Amino acid sequence: MNSKLIDRLQILSISLIWLLFTGIAVWILNLIKESLRLHDAPDASLGISLVAIPVFFTLSSVLTYVFIGLRKGRKKDVES
Amino acid sequence: MEKAPAAPHPDFDLLRPIEDPGKNFYYIVAVLLVIILYTGYVYIRQLYHGLGVTGMAQPVTWGFYIINFVFFIGISHAGTLISAILRLSKAEWRRPITRMAEVITAIVLAIGGLHPIIDLGRPDRMLHLFYNGRLQSPLLWDITSITAYFTASTVYLYIPMIPDIAILRDRGVKPRWLYEFLSWGWQGTEQQHKVLDRAMNILMVMVIPIAISVHTIISYIFAMTVQPGWHSTIFGPYFVVGAIFSGIAAILVLMIVFRKVFHLERYLKLIHFNYLSVLLLIMSLLWFYFTFSEYLTGYYGHEPNEMRVFWYKFTGAFAPYFWTMVTCNFLLPLILLSNRKTRTIPGILIASISVIIGMWLERLIIVVPSLANPRLPYPTGIYIPSATEWTLFIGGVSVFILGYMMFARFFPVISVWEIQEGRQESAKAVTERIASYMPDPQPPSAKR
């Protein structure tokens, strides 16, 4: 398979991971908004989100770090 | 299938299942696919007819599906948690074990996570969670923590696989595009190794609290209610201990199977089994301690509703399951693993299978008796799982076997690069580490 196409697919996969995790964060924020609107124990919702959202973003950041780090660490990139 | 034109490799035994899977692989896959397709049909029938086709009824409204959910998620602790602990403690003997363990986590979590949906008569109503979910419900904590654990363990499985994927890519193994896509341009440069190490260090620290939180939160589904037999403060650690216990047993069974089938005796040595089986024995003792504490406090309180559940387990309808559980989880492992003569591969296999059965029974004993003995003045309930529930259980196990086989078909189940790194660097690193533990030599001036 064409290496340019593989490159694009790799970038697409990382973007999709960010999209997925951002989607989860938006979902959690929406549930907090609902609990605030209904006065339905928003403190519990806030507590959960304070733990959950950073976990997902840390995971996607680690993946992105590895993705970019491996690209920058390739022989031709190191030599140039 | 066309064989890849590959050069000899010092660890070819680890690549053989990928480059030359053999005919038996396809036969087993075909059998498993038939079972899974039949399971799919049975599930669709359940969707059509509703949960009436299961053995669940009032008052026992949770049955096999929730038991299997807790059981499979428990097995998932085999991987990432144990692997992270071994990596973090720099246990060099971990090298051939970690990947096998991590794969269990990823596959079993996916299967376990589906079970609460199977338990719903109207699974389409899961969509309500997206609009009207209540984050203060332990059920939603579960969804969040299992999603986090699944993604974390998949990332934790994938990142250390990159160098091995690159080996397969460089050997021209097919499908080449897959290995090229997944290897992320790995060339093994020093800078790339640094990036990988740094990412692994972050992940292994991160994954341990996530894994512990998952099974603690699963226990909260039970413990947050005031139901007799469930409302317990030690349920969190009790579930975590049980999960690690069943997880180690699952790793041992898989190690023994892979060792036998793929002739990996050179990699999975007796010492690996010895270390893990001692760990299994320790977990067995810990499990017994938690079980004893859990039931002793209930008995001492002698609260009538609590005692009804207690006697139902100890001498009532569930007594055979209860005492089988004690035998499988405590007596058998204790007898087989505490004696050096029986701590052999067959002995370890028997003990591990016994623990897996015992831990499944433990989930059964936690879920059903508390529901069968309601506090309202109703007669004791009865739960007999239907053929539908048994089929879905067998289907779940088949998905696990198929998932593991497919993984082993495309990727090495033992990390090739970590084995090579171990050969080149471990001996020196361990010598240096041991030297650092030892007292410093006395300075010449202090000598008498």
Side-chain angles (χ1 to χ4, degrees):
Chain A
M1 197 186 267
N2 183 327
S3 65
K4 263 192 179 170
L5 181 61
I6 287 185
D7 260 14
R8 280 181 195 153
L9 284 175
Q10 286 170 341
I11 293 167
L12 181 71
S13 63
I14 283 287
S15 313
L16 286 175
I17 285 164
W18 274 99
L19 189 70
L20 169 74
F21 290 167
T22 309
I24 293 172
V26 169
W27 170 61
I28 292 173
L29 290 173
N30 177 50
L31 296 185
I32 294 172
K33 201 184 86 186
E34 278 293 289
S35 68
L36 282 169
R37 192 175 64 84
L38 300 168
H39 303 288
D40 188 13
D43 45 345
S45 308
L46 278 170
I48 302 288
S49 65
L50 279 176
V51 181
I53 295 176
V55 166
F56 287 111
F57 282 120
T58 312
L59 280 173
S60 41
S61 304
V62 169
L63 265 176
T64 312
Y65 166 71
V66 175
F67 183 69
I68 295 170
L70 294 190
R71 283 172 161 246
K72 282 188 174 172
R74 284 187 292 204
K75 274 173 199 157
K76 62 175 181 190
D77 295 317
V78 173
E79 281 158 12
S80 60
Chain B
M1 179 171 273
E2 198 184 330
K3 272 189 201 175
H9 191 278
D11 292 304
F12 183 68
D13 287 345
L14 302 180
L15 304 174
R16 191 185 295 121
I18 303 157
E19 296 186 9
D20 182 18
K23 276 183 188 169
N24 285 342
F25 168 82
Y26 297 100
Y27 295 144
I28 299 170
V29 167
V31 171
L32 289 171
L33 279 175
V34 170
I35 298 172
I36 292 165
L37 280 174
Y38 180 68
T39 308
Y41 159 73
V42 170
Y43 177 63
I44 290 168
R45 213 178 51 133
Q46 175 186 301
L47 269 184
Y48 186 75
H49 293 288
L51 289 177
V53 297
T54 68
M56 292 184 283
Q58 288 295 345
V60 186
T61 47
W62 276 355
F64 258 35
Y65 301 145
I66 297 299
I67 294 163
N68 293 337
F69 162 64
V70 182
F71 172 71
F72 280 124
I73 302 284
I75 295 277
S76 78
H77 279 57
T80 311
L81 182 61
I82 294 163
S83 152
I85 292 170
L86 292 180
R87 275 184 208 272
L88 211 56
S89 59
K90 292 190 167 65
E92 285 300 329
W93 58 276
R94 72 172 196 273
R95 290 178 189 272
I97 298 170
T98 45
R99 178 146 331 137
M100 279 192 173
E102 288 154 13
V103 183
I104 297 179
T105 302
I107 299 172
V108 159
L109 265 179
I111 300 168
L114 280 177
H115 275 78
I117 302 172
I118 296 173
D119 189 57
L120 295 174
R122 288 279 307 272
D124 54 301
R125 289 187 178 170
M126 275 291 287
L127 286 175
H128 291 316
L129 279 180
F130 290 100
Y131 309 115
N132 306 310
R134 300 179 72 233
L135 267 179
Q136 58 271 47
S137 157
L139 291 171
L140 218 59
W141 302 351
D142 252 351
I143 292 174
T144 316
S145 66
I146 290 173
T147 311
Y149 188 39
F150 178 70
T151 44
S153 50
T154 312
V155 173
Y156 187 71
L157 167 70
Y158 171 60
I159 286 180
M161 264 172 58
I162 292 173
D164 281 357
I165 296 171
I167 292 175
L168 295 166
R169 175 201 63 196
D170 297 342
R171 286 174 67 78
V173 179
K174 287 175 183 174
R176 196 155 192 271
W177 65 267
L178 177 74
Y179 298 119
E180 200 144 330
F181 170 68
L182 291 174
S183 61
W184 279 5
W186 177 267
Q187 291 171 334
T189 63
E190 199 180 328
Q191 200 175 324
Q192 287 185 327
H193 271 287
K194 266 185 197 164
V195 169
L196 203 76
D197 284 347
R198 218 170 281 159
M200 285 302 297
N201 287 339
I202 298 170
L203 283 173
M204 68 179 116
V205 172
M206 217 180 137
V207 113
I208 294 173
I210 297 178
I212 290 175
S213 77
V214 169
H215 228 71
T216 307
I217 290 171
I218 286 179
S219 82
Y220 288 169
I221 297 176
F222 304 98
M224 293 292 175
T225 66
V226 283
Q227 195 82 359
W230 287 358
H231 192 56
S232 161
T233 53
I234 66 161
F235 249 38
Y238 185 31
F239 268 52
V240 173
V241 164
I244 299 173
F245 185 34
S246 59
I248 296 172
I251 300 179
L252 278 165
V253 171
L254 272 174
M255 278 169 65
I256 293 169
V257 170
F258 272 85
R259 186 177 191 258
K260 180 86 182 158
V261 174
F262 295 122
H263 307 289
L264 298 176
E265 290 84 357
R266 251 175 6 105
Y267 298 91
L268 299 170
K269 295 182 175 180
L270 286 176
I271 193 154
H272 297 111
F273 291 98
N274 196 27
Y275 284 170
L276 269 182
S277 62
V278 170
L279 209 55
L280 189 71
L281 178 63
I282 295 169
M283 295 313 296
S284 171
L285 298 173
L286 254 178
W287 174 87
F288 183 77
Y289 163 66
F290 270 98
T291 307
F292 179 76
S293 303
E294 171 65 15
Y295 287 104
L296 181 71
T297 44
Y299 179 76
Y300 200 80
H302 234 75
E303 199 271 320
N305 287 317
E306 188 81 31
M307 288 316 290
R308 195 173 152 198
V309 177
F310 182 92
W311 291 123
Y312 187 77
K313 294 180 187 180
F314 274 68
T315 55
F318 264 58
Y321 307 124
F322 183 85
W323 294 111
T324 310
M325 169 191 81
V326 174
T327 310
C328 287
N329 282 349
F330 180 64
L331 293 177
L332 254 174
L334 185 72
I335 294 164
L336 288 169
L337 303 179
S338 59
N339 187 346
R340 202 175 280 179
K341 279 183 188 163
T342 47
R343 207 163 59 230
T344 54
I345 301 275
I348 293 170
L349 182 65
I350 294 169
S352 304
I353 293 173
S354 143
V355 169
I356 292 172
I357 295 169
M359 282 311 297
W360 187 86
L361 285 173
E362 195 220 41
R363 307 322 191 186
L364 173 81
I365 284 158
I366 287 174
V367 174
V368 178
S370 291
L371 292 170
N373 293 280
R375 277 167 299 161
L376 290 169
Y378 288 136
T380 302
I382 187 159
Y383 171 68
I384 299 166
S386 69
T388 301
E389 286 162 292
W390 276 110
T391 310
L392 262 75
F393 179 35
I394 295 165
V397 176
S398 304
V399 171
F400 170 71
I401 300 170
L402 181 69
Y404 215 101
M405 283 182 64
M406 292 309 287
F407 181 89
R409 166 68 187 85
F410 290 104
F411 306 104
V413 283
I414 292 180
S415 175
V416 180
W417 75 275
E418 284 188 87
I419 293 281
Q420 288 173 343
E421 185 194 60
R423 280 196 197 111
Q424 288 160 9
E425 293 168 19
S426 282
K428 192 175 159 231
V430 171
T431 314
E432 282 172 5
R433 207 184 311 148
I434 291 172
S436 72
Y437 307 147
M438 294 291 124
D440 291 330
Q442 234 177 6
S445 57
K447 280 184 186 168
R448 288 185 186 174

